[in-house]
Amino acid sequence: MQGSAQEETSTGHYTIAIQPIVNAQLHHVADELLYRGDFSAGTAAVFDDVQATARACAVAIYEIGLDKLCGQRKLFINASGEWLLSPDLDGLPKEQIVIEVLEDTAVSDALLTALRQLKTQGYTLALDDFELTDANRSLLALADIIKFDISTGLPKALIQRLYQDGYTLLAERVETYEEFEQCKALGFSLFQGYFYQRPQVQTTKTQRHSTSRANQMQLLAQLYSDKVRLPALSTLIARDPYLLNAVFKRANSAGKASQRPAYKLMDCIHIIGLKELRTLVSIVMLAGNNPASKINLTSGLTRAFACEALAEQRGLDEEEGFIAGLFSHMPVILGIDLDAMLQELPLSQTIHQALTLRQGRLGRLLTDIEASEQGSTSSDVPAELMLQAAAEARALMDTHIS
């Protein structure tokens, strides 16, 4: 079992499945988020509850995006006791997330306090596979939704009492239409099971390459410092391809974006806010994404630093230079083709034209840097600029990336 856990933890092939939740009129109103250790896996194969939840959330929120995954529907996520007790993980989009307290969660004063805080923040709480015991009775005061696994039987007296007390009741593992009708007659208003649809595995084109935990820890330290310095946050995020991709996607998601798309990293940070940014970084760390190839990442950072320096010399936006340089190499770093990346990320027209057509002043800058990488000499791109960019990239790798 130890070997299997290690193998599962190290793979980058994990993904998610979602299973519809319908109401009594068979309208699709919500989904349950399910972790899959591999694209071909039919079940979860969970070795670490916290990591499984982190990975599922990372894929759903920061890779695919909630608007694309489930639109305006609610998304139920399974949360272990350890997850619920972590203060770094309560920054998920509360208007759309339903937190399921797992049936084997140990009830303690600390857990009850954490759940009360989540309720105060506006989260909806569900009790998964509920069976009433003296140990979990106190959870009822905090729950909004009670889920029953009907494959283990229907405690009709308890169901009737909870229905009369005003709880929303959800029947899961409903296999037939007859079971659906039986549960509806008992007072259930939400239903989940094969009678409607099996879990649907979701695919994502992004390969999960990230900088090391050391770099992410430095970012967390900055996020939790007494005086948060946004430029420092921006720098650290910009140098982590997976986080950069996640921040841009989340800031420009339907639930976050303002009337105009956010083209700059600093704008994205302001839109997301420090609270959710802490959650985002924590989730990526817990998901255990593997470091990118040092060669590919060093090359990408060298180009980004060179574009940043040349942009300053030419009176262009330095951050746009850095982003254009790094994103031009992002297909290699993340293992995704350029067209697919551009479909997923809203970039400014200036950066988009620079990346696709090498047009505009930024496009010419990128062309000049790429030519210099191939050994072309130009007075506009002095050799020392490229050498300095390479030194910065190597220093960053040596200092922060294992």
Side-chain angles (χ1 to χ4, degrees), residues 71-232:
Q72 298 301 309
R73 298 188 299 271
K74 295 280 190 180
L75 186 68
F76 286 61
I77 68 167
N78 296 305
S80 66
E82 188 178 354
W83 176 281
L84 293 168
L85 290 172
S86 173
D88 295 334
L89 301 172
D90 61 359
L92 297 171
K94 59 180 177 291
E95 68 282 354
Q96 199 162 2
I97 295 295
V98 177
I99 296 176
E100 291 192 37
V101 182
L102 299 178
E103 66 275 13
D104 57 358
T105 300
V107 180
S108 64
D109 290 342
L111 179 76
L112 293 172
T113 298
L115 292 176
R116 290 189 193 99
Q117 182 177 358
L118 290 170
K119 287 280 290 184
T120 300
Q121 292 172 4
Y123 287 95
T124 301
L125 300 183
L127 303 182
D128 190 33
D129 292 350
F130 189 68
E131 295 181 12
L132 183 62
T133 65
D134 290 338
N136 66 19
R137 190 180 302 274
S138 56
L139 295 177
L140 286 173
L142 298 168
D144 303 287
I145 300 170
I146 312 293
K147 298 183 68 174
F148 285 90
D149 179 352
I150 71 166
S151 68
T152 62
L154 285 166
K156 295 181 179 179
L158 175 60
I159 290 169
Q160 183 177 22
R161 196 181 93 201
L162 294 173
Y163 171 73
Q164 292 173 345
D165 287 342
Y167 290 98
T168 298
L169 303 181
L170 192 160
E172 56 183 339
R173 295 186 184 273
V174 181
E175 308 296 284
T176 66
Y177 191 78
E178 289 72 25
E179 289 177 339
F180 163 71
E181 290 290 352
Q182 179 187 15
C183 292
K184 187 164 64 169
L186 288 173
F188 286 89
S189 58
L190 296 174
F191 310 85
Q192 177 183 0
Y194 288 1
F195 89 105
Y196 186 82
Q197 191 175 87
R198 292 173 178 267
Q200 301 296 300
V201 174
Q202 307 295 304
T203 58
T204 171
K205 296 178 182 178
T206 302
Q207 293 186 19
R208 297 168 185 109
H209 300 311
S210 183
T211 51
S212 71
R213 181 160 299 223
N215 190 65
Q216 292 166 357
M217 287 296 291
Q218 186 183 17
L219 179 55
L220 276 181
Q222 181 60 232
L223 280 167
Y224 285 97
S225 66
D226 292 335
K227 295 182 179 179
V228 177
R229 294 184 297 117
L230 293 184

Side-chain angles (χ1 to χ4, degrees), residues 236-279:
L236 289 166
I237 292 169
R239 296 170 186 178
D240 185 321
Y242 188 86
L243 278 175
L244 181 64
N245 194 52
V247 167
F248 265 82
K249 275 191 176 179
R250 180 58 185 153
N252 286 282
S253 66
K256 282 289 185 183
S258 58
Q259 294 180 352
R260 294 185 300 172
Y263 296 133
K264 293 191 175 183
L265 180 53
M266 193 69 78
D267 293 336
C268 292
I269 292 172
H270 282 294
I271 290 170
I272 293 174
L274 290 177
K275 184 177 181 60
E276 186 171 343
L277 191 59
R278 288 171 181 143
T279 300

